[in-house]
Amino acid sequence: MDVNPVLVEVERSGFVESRHRGAAIGLAADGGVAFRAGETGAPIFPRSANKPMQAVAILRGGLELGGELLALAAGSHSGEDFHVEGVEKILAGAGLGAGDLRCPESWPIDPAAQQEVARTGGGQSRLRMNCSGKHAAMLATCVTAGWPTDSYLDPGHPLQRIVREVVEELAGEPATAVGVDGCGAPLFAVSIAGVARAFRALVLAEPGTHERRVADAMRTHPQWTSGTRREERQLMDAVPGLLVKCGAEGVDAFAFADGRAGVVKIDDGAMRARTPVTVALLRALGVHDGTDRVALDELATVEVRGGDGVVGAIRPAPGVFDRTA
């Protein structure tokens, strides 16, 4: 089996001490492949990059949700107070509560929120878990459609069958494996090329369609899909019209309103490598100049620290993103 190329280098004091291999694909506005590195046709678990497709499925299942709450259902929130209030609102609208959630208990992702919860005597909870917005929306969909709520995470449940149909439809390929995500929800394996096609389909859908409603909600309310201090929110703030969603194990997926799209998968799952590669791929697709430049420069590398100072950087491997497909 071919080995994927090195996409990221970790440099410390002028010495490259670590390397991350992976695959990346970039689609042009017309849907053709503009950039390719590594194996882009092999199946992966997109992890939370599946959430926008899962959000399309809840709308197809009959749930009336929009704006900030739809963005929350399609995102991986940071566990900040406004996220928790949004999850509670989705549940209350269906006559449900936190006890109905079947995602695991968790601390907030956001360090400041985590410290505040601990300072006030709180602990881990299902509401603070980053997938609770999705779970709340799935439960509310079941209530709306008259489906059982106690088995909503079963791959054979009517809702999860719709999720699989949406993923396969938007990706343009069948799911080759079914797994269990970290939150307990079913997970469907498709290629990174398929994920890129799916994100492209979201932004190119006609206004008012389920797909476009999800894309628009996420782009309008990026703090609800991630958090006030997350890189995804910073990327969407930096590049107007950009839709981006990360997934565990080193996945990033994005699309522009004009149809350009891309996906990154880091082989070893290192999340620290994800954003520098995403910025490099954005630039390979033509995002270079304009008001976004300074903000993208700040996200293009990750500092490597030694003692009290910066002694290196996590950066895209030289030359990889200079070539086209």
Side-chain angles (χ1 to χ4, degrees), residues 4 23 39-47 49-50 167 173 175-178 187-196 247-253 263-267:
N4 280 331
E39 177 51 68
T40 61
I44 67 161
F45 281 138
R47 303 298 295 272
N50 264 336
V167 170
E173 62 185 63
T176 56
V178 180
L187 188 60
F188 305 104
V190 292
S191 68
I192 67 169
V195 177
E249 297 299 317
V251 177
D252 247 357
V263 178
V264 170
K265 172 67 173 86
I266 305 301
D267 282 354

PDB file of all heavy atoms in Angstrom, residues 4 23 39-47 49-50 167 173 175-178 187-196 247-253 263-267:
ATOM      1  N   ASN A   4       1.150   7.700   2.396  1.00  0.00           N
ATOM      2  CA  ASN A   4       0.787   9.099   2.173  1.00  0.00           C
ATOM      3  C   ASN A   4       1.978  10.015   2.427  1.00  0.00           C
ATOM      4  O   ASN A   4       2.855   9.707   3.245  1.00  0.00           O
ATOM      5  CB  ASN A   4      -0.374   9.495   3.080  1.00  0.00           C
ATOM      6  CG  ASN A   4      -1.714   9.037   2.554  1.00  0.00           C
ATOM      7  OD1 ASN A   4      -1.910   8.913   1.350  1.00  0.00           O
ATOM      8  ND2 ASN A   4      -2.642   8.785   3.456  1.00  0.00           N
ATOM      9  N   ALA A  23      -3.461  12.899   3.819  1.00  0.00           N
ATOM     10  CA  ALA A  23      -4.011  13.078   2.482  1.00  0.00           C
ATOM     11  C   ALA A  23      -4.831  14.355   2.455  1.00  0.00           C
ATOM     12  O   ALA A  23      -5.418  14.761   3.468  1.00  0.00           O
ATOM     13  CB  ALA A  23      -4.877  11.884   2.089  1.00  0.00           C
ATOM     14  N   GLU A  39      -3.593   9.424  -0.773  1.00  0.00           N
ATOM     15  CA  GLU A  39      -4.713   8.582  -1.191  1.00  0.00           C
ATOM     16  C   GLU A  39      -6.027   9.247  -0.826  1.00  0.00           C
ATOM     17  O   GLU A  39      -6.397   9.325   0.345  1.00  0.00           O
ATOM     18  CB  GLU A  39      -4.608   7.208  -0.519  1.00  0.00           C
ATOM     19  CG  GLU A  39      -5.765   6.276  -0.827  1.00  0.00           C
ATOM     20  CD  GLU A  39      -6.041   6.149  -2.306  1.00  0.00           C
ATOM     21  OE1 GLU A  39      -5.193   5.576  -3.001  1.00  0.00           O
ATOM     22  OE2 GLU A  39      -7.097   6.640  -2.754  1.00  0.00           O
ATOM     23  N   THR A  40      -6.730   9.733  -1.834  1.00  0.00           N
ATOM     24  CA  THR A  40      -7.961  10.484  -1.591  1.00  0.00           C
ATOM     25  C   THR A  40      -9.221   9.655  -1.808  1.00  0.00           C
ATOM     26  O   THR A  40     -10.322  10.141  -1.567  1.00  0.00           O
ATOM     27  CB  THR A  40      -8.027  11.719  -2.508  1.00  0.00           C
ATOM     28  OG1 THR A  40      -8.015  11.291  -3.877  1.00  0.00           O
ATOM     29  CG2 THR A  40      -6.845  12.633  -2.249  1.00  0.00           C
ATOM     30  N   GLY A  41      -9.052   8.402  -2.267  1.00  0.00           N
ATOM     31  CA  GLY A  41     -10.216   7.562  -2.529  1.00  0.00           C
ATOM     32  C   GLY A  41     -10.466   6.499  -1.487  1.00  0.00           C
ATOM     33  O   GLY A  41     -11.478   5.807  -1.534  1.00  0.00           O
ATOM     34  N   ALA A  42      -9.554   6.371  -0.518  1.00  0.00           N
ATOM     35  CA  ALA A  42      -9.709   5.358   0.528  1.00  0.00           C
ATOM     36  C   ALA A  42     -10.714   5.838   1.570  1.00  0.00           C
ATOM     37  O   ALA A  42     -10.766   7.029   1.897  1.00  0.00           O
ATOM     38  CB  ALA A  42      -8.375   5.065   1.189  1.00  0.00           C
ATOM     39  N   PRO A  43     -11.525   4.940   2.117  1.00  0.00           N
ATOM     40  CA  PRO A  43     -12.510   5.369   3.114  1.00  0.00           C
ATOM     41  C   PRO A  43     -11.872   5.793   4.428  1.00  0.00           C
ATOM     42  O   PRO A  43     -10.854   5.233   4.849  1.00  0.00           O
ATOM     43  CB  PRO A  43     -13.381   4.120   3.300  1.00  0.00           C
ATOM     44  CG  PRO A  43     -12.500   2.977   2.912  1.00  0.00           C
ATOM     45  CD  PRO A  43     -11.608   3.492   1.831  1.00  0.00           C
ATOM     46  N   ILE A  44     -12.469   6.785   5.034  1.00  0.00           N
ATOM     47  CA  ILE A  44     -12.098   7.232   6.381  1.00  0.00           C
ATOM     48  C   ILE A  44     -13.381   7.419   7.176  1.00  0.00           C
ATOM     49  O   ILE A  44     -14.474   7.469   6.614  1.00  0.00           O
ATOM     50  CB  ILE A  44     -11.318   8.565   6.367  1.00  0.00           C
ATOM     51  CG1 ILE A  44     -12.244   9.705   5.889  1.00  0.00           C
ATOM     52  CG2 ILE A  44     -10.067   8.475   5.517  1.00  0.00           C
ATOM     53  CD1 ILE A  44     -11.766  11.091   6.246  1.00  0.00           C
ATOM     54  N   PHE A  45     -13.250   7.522   8.479  1.00  0.00           N
ATOM     55  CA  PHE A  45     -14.356   7.984   9.301  1.00  0.00           C
ATOM     56  C   PHE A  45     -14.214   9.506   9.402  1.00  0.00           C
ATOM     57  O   PHE A  45     -13.276   9.992  10.037  1.00  0.00           O
ATOM     58  CB  PHE A  45     -14.324   7.367  10.694  1.00  0.00           C
ATOM     59  CG  PHE A  45     -14.850   5.958  10.763  1.00  0.00           C
ATOM     60  CD1 PHE A  45     -14.193   4.999  11.525  1.00  0.00           C
ATOM     61  CD2 PHE A  45     -16.001   5.591  10.090  1.00  0.00           C
ATOM     62  CE1 PHE A  45     -14.684   3.698  11.607  1.00  0.00           C
ATOM     63  CE2 PHE A  45     -16.501   4.295  10.159  1.00  0.00           C
ATOM     64  CZ  PHE A  45     -15.838   3.348  10.920  1.00  0.00           C
ATOM     65  N   PRO A  46     -15.116  10.274   8.801  1.00  0.00           N
ATOM     66  CA  PRO A  46     -14.994  11.737   8.862  1.00  0.00           C
ATOM     67  C   PRO A  46     -15.214  12.326  10.249  1.00  0.00           C
ATOM     68  O   PRO A  46     -14.983  13.513  10.455  1.00  0.00           O
ATOM     69  CB  PRO A  46     -16.089  12.218   7.893  1.00  0.00           C
ATOM     70  CG  PRO A  46     -16.370  11.049   7.018  1.00  0.00           C
ATOM     71  CD  PRO A  46     -16.189   9.848   7.907  1.00  0.00           C
ATOM     72  N   ARG A  47     -15.670  11.494  11.169  1.00  0.00           N
ATOM     73  CA  ARG A  47     -15.965  11.920  12.529  1.00  0.00           C
ATOM     74  C   ARG A  47     -16.906  13.116  12.510  1.00  0.00           C
ATOM     75  O   ARG A  47     -17.914  13.111  11.814  1.00  0.00           O
ATOM     76  CB  ARG A  47     -14.658  12.187  13.292  1.00  0.00           C
ATOM     77  CG  ARG A  47     -13.706  10.979  13.341  1.00  0.00           C
ATOM     78  CD  ARG A  47     -14.326   9.790  14.056  1.00  0.00           C
ATOM     79  NE  ARG A  47     -14.581  10.056  15.462  1.00  0.00           N
ATOM     80  CZ  ARG A  47     -13.712   9.866  16.446  1.00  0.00           C
ATOM     81  NH1 ARG A  47     -12.497   9.411  16.178  1.00  0.00           N
ATOM     82  NH2 ARG A  47     -14.041  10.094  17.701  1.00  0.00           N
ATOM     83  N   ALA A  49     -16.893  15.852  11.057  1.00  0.00           N
ATOM     84  CA  ALA A  49     -17.122  16.481   9.756  1.00  0.00           C
ATOM     85  C   ALA A  49     -18.392  15.935   9.109  1.00  0.00           C
ATOM     86  O   ALA A  49     -18.888  16.487   8.130  1.00  0.00           O
ATOM     87  CB  ALA A  49     -15.925  16.262   8.838  1.00  0.00           C
ATOM     88  N   ASN A  50     -18.942  14.849   9.666  1.00  0.00           N
ATOM     89  CA  ASN A  50     -20.233  14.324   9.216  1.00  0.00           C
ATOM     90  C   ASN A  50     -21.418  15.154   9.724  1.00  0.00           C
ATOM     91  O   ASN A  50     -22.533  15.005   9.229  1.00  0.00           O
ATOM     92  CB  ASN A  50     -20.425  12.887   9.726  1.00  0.00           C
ATOM     93  CG  ASN A  50     -20.018  11.845   8.706  1.00  0.00           C
ATOM     94  OD1 ASN A  50     -20.004  12.092   7.503  1.00  0.00           O
ATOM     95  ND2 ASN A  50     -19.693  10.658   9.183  1.00  0.00           N
ATOM     96  N   VAL A 167     -25.647  11.042   3.794  1.00  0.00           N
ATOM     97  CA  VAL A 167     -24.195  10.976   3.643  1.00  0.00           C
ATOM     98  C   VAL A 167     -23.831  10.377   2.287  1.00  0.00           C
ATOM     99  O   VAL A 167     -22.991  10.919   1.553  1.00  0.00           O
ATOM    100  CB  VAL A 167     -23.563  10.152   4.791  1.00  0.00           C
ATOM    101  CG1 VAL A 167     -22.088   9.865   4.497  1.00  0.00           C
ATOM    102  CG2 VAL A 167     -23.701  10.893   6.120  1.00  0.00           C
ATOM    103  N   GLU A 173     -21.140   8.419  -3.078  1.00  0.00           N
ATOM    104  CA  GLU A 173     -20.556   7.087  -2.991  1.00  0.00           C
ATOM    105  C   GLU A 173     -21.170   6.343  -1.806  1.00  0.00           C
ATOM    106  O   GLU A 173     -21.666   6.972  -0.865  1.00  0.00           O
ATOM    107  CB  GLU A 173     -19.037   7.154  -2.810  1.00  0.00           C
ATOM    108  CG  GLU A 173     -18.590   7.842  -1.542  1.00  0.00           C
ATOM    109  CD  GLU A 173     -17.075   8.003  -1.463  1.00  0.00           C
ATOM    110  OE1 GLU A 173     -16.496   8.705  -2.325  1.00  0.00           O
ATOM    111  OE2 GLU A 173     -16.480   7.431  -0.522  1.00  0.00           O
ATOM    112  N   ALA A 175     -21.371   4.211   1.675  1.00  0.00           N
ATOM    113  CA  ALA A 175     -20.572   4.051   2.889  1.00  0.00           C
ATOM    114  C   ALA A 175     -20.035   2.626   2.928  1.00  0.00           C
ATOM    115  O   ALA A 175     -20.777   1.669   2.710  1.00  0.00           O
ATOM    116  CB  ALA A 175     -21.420   4.339   4.117  1.00  0.00           C
ATOM    117  N   THR A 176     -18.748   2.502   3.194  1.00  0.00           N
ATOM    118  CA  THR A 176     -18.114   1.185   3.151  1.00  0.00           C
ATOM    119  C   THR A 176     -17.971   0.538   4.522  1.00  0.00           C
ATOM    120  O   THR A 176     -17.600  -0.635   4.615  1.00  0.00           O
ATOM    121  CB  THR A 176     -16.724   1.281   2.512  1.00  0.00           C
ATOM    122  OG1 THR A 176     -15.943   2.239   3.233  1.00  0.00           O
ATOM    123  CG2 THR A 176     -16.845   1.733   1.056  1.00  0.00           C
ATOM    124  N   ALA A 177     -18.241   1.293   5.569  1.00  0.00           N
ATOM    125  CA  ALA A 177     -18.153   0.741   6.922  1.00  0.00           C
ATOM    126  C   ALA A 177     -19.036   1.563   7.837  1.00  0.00           C
ATOM    127  O   ALA A 177     -19.309   2.744   7.568  1.00  0.00           O
ATOM    128  CB  ALA A 177     -16.720   0.746   7.437  1.00  0.00           C
ATOM    129  N   VAL A 178     -19.504   0.952   8.908  1.00  0.00           N
ATOM    130  CA  VAL A 178     -20.303   1.633   9.926  1.00  0.00           C
ATOM    131  C   VAL A 178     -19.599   1.475  11.261  1.00  0.00           C
ATOM    132  O   VAL A 178     -19.238   0.359  11.658  1.00  0.00           O
ATOM    133  CB  VAL A 178     -21.726   1.052  10.009  1.00  0.00           C
ATOM    134  CG1 VAL A 178     -22.542   1.788  11.078  1.00  0.00           C
ATOM    135  CG2 VAL A 178     -22.425   1.126   8.661  1.00  0.00           C
ATOM    136  N   LEU A 187     -21.522   6.097  12.678  1.00  0.00           N
ATOM    137  CA  LEU A 187     -20.549   6.814  11.871  1.00  0.00           C
ATOM    138  C   LEU A 187     -20.361   6.050  10.570  1.00  0.00           C
ATOM    139  O   LEU A 187     -20.174   4.831  10.578  1.00  0.00           O
ATOM    140  CB  LEU A 187     -19.237   6.896  12.642  1.00  0.00           C
ATOM    141  CG  LEU A 187     -18.105   7.744  12.109  1.00  0.00           C
ATOM    142  CD1 LEU A 187     -18.525   9.198  11.994  1.00  0.00           C
ATOM    143  CD2 LEU A 187     -16.896   7.616  13.029  1.00  0.00           C
ATOM    144  N   PHE A 188     -20.415   6.744   9.438  1.00  0.00           N
ATOM    145  CA  PHE A 188     -20.365   6.099   8.136  1.00  0.00           C
ATOM    146  C   PHE A 188     -19.094   6.500   7.395  1.00  0.00           C
ATOM    147  O   PHE A 188     -18.786   7.682   7.256  1.00  0.00           O
ATOM    148  CB  PHE A 188     -21.610   6.463   7.328  1.00  0.00           C
ATOM    149  CG  PHE A 188     -22.884   6.131   8.049  1.00  0.00           C
ATOM    150  CD1 PHE A 188     -23.645   7.127   8.640  1.00  0.00           C
ATOM    151  CD2 PHE A 188     -23.298   4.815   8.181  1.00  0.00           C
ATOM    152  CE1 PHE A 188     -24.807   6.822   9.340  1.00  0.00           C
ATOM    153  CE2 PHE A 188     -24.456   4.496   8.881  1.00  0.00           C
ATOM    154  CZ  PHE A 188     -25.216   5.496   9.461  1.00  0.00           C
ATOM    155  N   ALA A 189     -18.368   5.508   6.916  1.00  0.00           N
ATOM    156  CA  ALA A 189     -17.077   5.738   6.276  1.00  0.00           C
ATOM    157  C   ALA A 189     -17.244   6.041   4.794  1.00  0.00           C
ATOM    158  O   ALA A 189     -17.868   5.280   4.053  1.00  0.00           O
ATOM    159  CB  ALA A 189     -16.182   4.512   6.451  1.00  0.00           C
ATOM    160  N   VAL A 190     -16.661   7.163   4.360  1.00  0.00           N
ATOM    161  CA  VAL A 190     -16.563   7.519   2.948  1.00  0.00           C
ATOM    162  C   VAL A 190     -15.164   8.099   2.728  1.00  0.00           C
ATOM    163  O   VAL A 190     -14.414   8.341   3.669  1.00  0.00           O
ATOM    164  CB  VAL A 190     -17.642   8.542   2.526  1.00  0.00           C
ATOM    165  CG1 VAL A 190     -19.022   7.918   2.575  1.00  0.00           C
ATOM    166  CG2 VAL A 190     -17.590   9.794   3.389  1.00  0.00           C
ATOM    167  N   SER A 191     -14.809   8.337   1.482  1.00  0.00           N
ATOM    168  CA  SER A 191     -13.494   8.873   1.167  1.00  0.00           C
ATOM    169  C   SER A 191     -13.435  10.372   1.420  1.00  0.00           C
ATOM    170  O   SER A 191     -14.469  11.049   1.524  1.00  0.00           O
ATOM    171  CB  SER A 191     -13.148   8.594  -0.295  1.00  0.00           C
ATOM    172  OG  SER A 191     -14.001   9.363  -1.146  1.00  0.00           O
ATOM    173  N   ILE A 192     -12.205  10.926   1.476  1.00  0.00           N
ATOM    174  CA  ILE A 192     -12.112  12.373   1.641  1.00  0.00           C
ATOM    175  C   ILE A 192     -12.608  13.082   0.383  1.00  0.00           C
ATOM    176  O   ILE A 192     -13.121  14.197   0.466  1.00  0.00           O
ATOM    177  CB  ILE A 192     -10.699  12.839   2.036  1.00  0.00           C
ATOM    178  CG1 ILE A 192      -9.679  12.604   0.925  1.00  0.00           C
ATOM    179  CG2 ILE A 192     -10.247  12.191   3.329  1.00  0.00           C
ATOM    180  CD1 ILE A 192      -8.345  13.298   1.205  1.00  0.00           C
ATOM    181  N   ALA A 193     -12.488  12.420  -0.771  1.00  0.00           N
ATOM    182  CA  ALA A 193     -13.064  12.992  -1.985  1.00  0.00           C
ATOM    183  C   ALA A 193     -14.581  13.084  -1.850  1.00  0.00           C
ATOM    184  O   ALA A 193     -15.207  14.073  -2.263  1.00  0.00           O
ATOM    185  CB  ALA A 193     -12.683  12.154  -3.199  1.00  0.00           C
ATOM    186  N   GLY A 194     -15.186  12.069  -1.251  1.00  0.00           N
ATOM    187  CA  GLY A 194     -16.627  12.079  -1.029  1.00  0.00           C
ATOM    188  C   GLY A 194     -17.040  13.156  -0.052  1.00  0.00           C
ATOM    189  O   GLY A 194     -18.067  13.827  -0.248  1.00  0.00           O
ATOM    190  N   VAL A 195     -16.267  13.348   1.003  1.00  0.00           N
ATOM    191  CA  VAL A 195     -16.588  14.410   1.967  1.00  0.00           C
ATOM    192  C   VAL A 195     -16.503  15.779   1.298  1.00  0.00           C
ATOM    193  O   VAL A 195     -17.342  16.657   1.530  1.00  0.00           O
ATOM    194  CB  VAL A 195     -15.650  14.339   3.189  1.00  0.00           C
ATOM    195  CG1 VAL A 195     -15.943  15.482   4.159  1.00  0.00           C
ATOM    196  CG2 VAL A 195     -15.795  13.004   3.910  1.00  0.00           C
ATOM    197  N   ALA A 196     -15.501  15.966   0.448  1.00  0.00           N
ATOM    198  CA  ALA A 196     -15.376  17.234  -0.279  1.00  0.00           C
ATOM    199  C   ALA A 196     -16.586  17.462  -1.183  1.00  0.00           C
ATOM    200  O   ALA A 196     -17.118  18.577  -1.254  1.00  0.00           O
ATOM    201  CB  ALA A 196     -14.086  17.240  -1.104  1.00  0.00           C
ATOM    202  N   GLY A 247     -13.149  17.414  12.315  1.00  0.00           N
ATOM    203  CA  GLY A 247     -13.514  16.119  12.873  1.00  0.00           C
ATOM    204  C   GLY A 247     -12.340  15.561  13.649  1.00  0.00           C
ATOM    205  O   GLY A 247     -11.184  15.908  13.377  1.00  0.00           O
ATOM    206  N   ALA A 248     -12.613  14.730  14.617  1.00  0.00           N
ATOM    207  CA  ALA A 248     -11.552  14.111  15.408  1.00  0.00           C
ATOM    208  C   ALA A 248     -10.608  13.319  14.509  1.00  0.00           C
ATOM    209  O   ALA A 248     -10.931  12.987  13.367  1.00  0.00           O
ATOM    210  CB  ALA A 248     -12.155  13.202  16.479  1.00  0.00           C
ATOM    211  N   GLU A 249      -9.442  13.029  15.027  1.00  0.00           N
ATOM    212  CA  GLU A 249      -8.412  12.268  14.312  1.00  0.00           C
ATOM    213  C   GLU A 249      -7.889  13.003  13.080  1.00  0.00           C
ATOM    214  O   GLU A 249      -7.553  12.403  12.064  1.00  0.00           O
ATOM    215  CB  GLU A 249      -8.912  10.870  13.937  1.00  0.00           C
ATOM    216  CG  GLU A 249      -9.251   9.989  15.124  1.00  0.00           C
ATOM    217  CD  GLU A 249      -8.045   9.731  16.036  1.00  0.00           C
ATOM    218  OE1 GLU A 249      -6.936   9.470  15.509  1.00  0.00           O
ATOM    219  OE2 GLU A 249      -8.212   9.808  17.271  1.00  0.00           O
ATOM    220  N   GLY A 250      -7.809  14.343  13.187  1.00  0.00           N
ATOM    221  CA  GLY A 250      -7.130  15.112  12.165  1.00  0.00           C
ATOM    222  C   GLY A 250      -7.893  15.343  10.886  1.00  0.00           C
ATOM    223  O   GLY A 250      -7.304  15.325   9.799  1.00  0.00           O
ATOM    224  N   VAL A 251      -9.199  15.606  10.980  1.00  0.00           N
ATOM    225  CA  VAL A 251     -10.019  15.849   9.792  1.00  0.00           C
ATOM    226  C   VAL A 251     -10.466  17.314   9.762  1.00  0.00           C
ATOM    227  O   VAL A 251     -10.863  17.873  10.784  1.00  0.00           O
ATOM    228  CB  VAL A 251     -11.263  14.938   9.766  1.00  0.00           C
ATOM    229  CG1 VAL A 251     -12.146  15.263   8.562  1.00  0.00           C
ATOM    230  CG2 VAL A 251     -10.853  13.473   9.746  1.00  0.00           C
ATOM    231  N   ASP A 252     -10.387  17.918   8.590  1.00  0.00           N
ATOM    232  CA  ASP A 252     -10.980  19.222   8.332  1.00  0.00           C
ATOM    233  C   ASP A 252     -11.670  19.155   6.983  1.00  0.00           C
ATOM    234  O   ASP A 252     -11.126  18.578   6.029  1.00  0.00           O
ATOM    235  CB  ASP A 252      -9.911  20.321   8.283  1.00  0.00           C
ATOM    236  CG  ASP A 252     -10.018  21.313   9.423  1.00  0.00           C
ATOM    237  OD1 ASP A 252     -10.950  21.198  10.240  1.00  0.00           O
ATOM    238  OD2 ASP A 252      -9.162  22.221   9.516  1.00  0.00           O
ATOM    239  N   ALA A 253     -12.845  19.755   6.884  1.00  0.00           N
ATOM    240  CA  ALA A 253     -13.565  19.820   5.614  1.00  0.00           C
ATOM    241  C   ALA A 253     -14.100  21.231   5.448  1.00  0.00           C
ATOM    242  O   ALA A 253     -14.545  21.856   6.410  1.00  0.00           O
ATOM    243  CB  ALA A 253     -14.711  18.805   5.591  1.00  0.00           C
ATOM    244  N   VAL A 263     -10.742  18.828   1.718  1.00  0.00           N
ATOM    245  CA  VAL A 263     -10.731  17.990   2.921  1.00  0.00           C
ATOM    246  C   VAL A 263      -9.297  17.578   3.224  1.00  0.00           C
ATOM    247  O   VAL A 263      -8.515  17.285   2.312  1.00  0.00           O
ATOM    248  CB  VAL A 263     -11.607  16.726   2.749  1.00  0.00           C
ATOM    249  CG1 VAL A 263     -11.538  15.848   4.004  1.00  0.00           C
ATOM    250  CG2 VAL A 263     -13.049  17.114   2.468  1.00  0.00           C
ATOM    251  N   VAL A 264      -9.000  17.541   4.505  1.00  0.00           N
ATOM    252  CA  VAL A 264      -7.693  17.115   5.012  1.00  0.00           C
ATOM    253  C   VAL A 264      -7.900  15.967   5.984  1.00  0.00           C
ATOM    254  O   VAL A 264      -8.832  15.999   6.794  1.00  0.00           O
ATOM    255  CB  VAL A 264      -6.994  18.284   5.748  1.00  0.00           C
ATOM    256  CG1 VAL A 264      -5.764  17.804   6.493  1.00  0.00           C
ATOM    257  CG2 VAL A 264      -6.669  19.406   4.777  1.00  0.00           C
ATOM    258  N   LYS A 265      -7.050  14.946   5.908  1.00  0.00           N
ATOM    259  CA  LYS A 265      -7.036  13.862   6.912  1.00  0.00           C
ATOM    260  C   LYS A 265      -5.596  13.571   7.281  1.00  0.00           C
ATOM    261  O   LYS A 265      -4.782  13.205   6.428  1.00  0.00           O
ATOM    262  CB  LYS A 265      -7.703  12.597   6.364  1.00  0.00           C
ATOM    263  CG  LYS A 265      -7.545  11.371   7.290  1.00  0.00           C
ATOM    264  CD  LYS A 265      -8.306  11.543   8.592  1.00  0.00           C
ATOM    265  CE  LYS A 265      -8.280  10.261   9.439  1.00  0.00           C
ATOM    266  NZ  LYS A 265      -7.057  10.181  10.298  1.00  0.00           N
ATOM    267  N   ILE A 266      -5.266  13.781   8.545  1.00  0.00           N
ATOM    268  CA  ILE A 266      -3.927  13.489   9.059  1.00  0.00           C
ATOM    269  C   ILE A 266      -3.887  12.024   9.478  1.00  0.00           C
ATOM    270  O   ILE A 266      -4.710  11.581  10.282  1.00  0.00           O
ATOM    271  CB  ILE A 266      -3.576  14.411  10.240  1.00  0.00           C
ATOM    272  CG1 ILE A 266      -3.740  15.882   9.839  1.00  0.00           C
ATOM    273  CG2 ILE A 266      -2.162  14.124  10.727  1.00  0.00           C
ATOM    274  CD1 ILE A 266      -2.896  16.324   8.678  1.00  0.00           C
ATOM    275  N   ASP A 267      -2.928  11.282   8.951  1.00  0.00           N
ATOM    276  CA  ASP A 267      -2.896   9.828   9.161  1.00  0.00           C
ATOM    277  C   ASP A 267      -2.863   9.424  10.631  1.00  0.00           C
ATOM    278  O   ASP A 267      -3.553   8.483  11.043  1.00  0.00           O
ATOM    279  CB  ASP A 267      -1.676   9.217   8.454  1.00  0.00           C
ATOM    280  CG  ASP A 267      -1.875   9.078   6.957  1.00  0.00           C
ATOM    281  OD1 ASP A 267      -2.993   9.347   6.470  1.00  0.00           O
ATOM    282  OD2 ASP A 267      -0.906   8.706   6.267  1.00  0.00           O
TER     283      ASP A 267
END
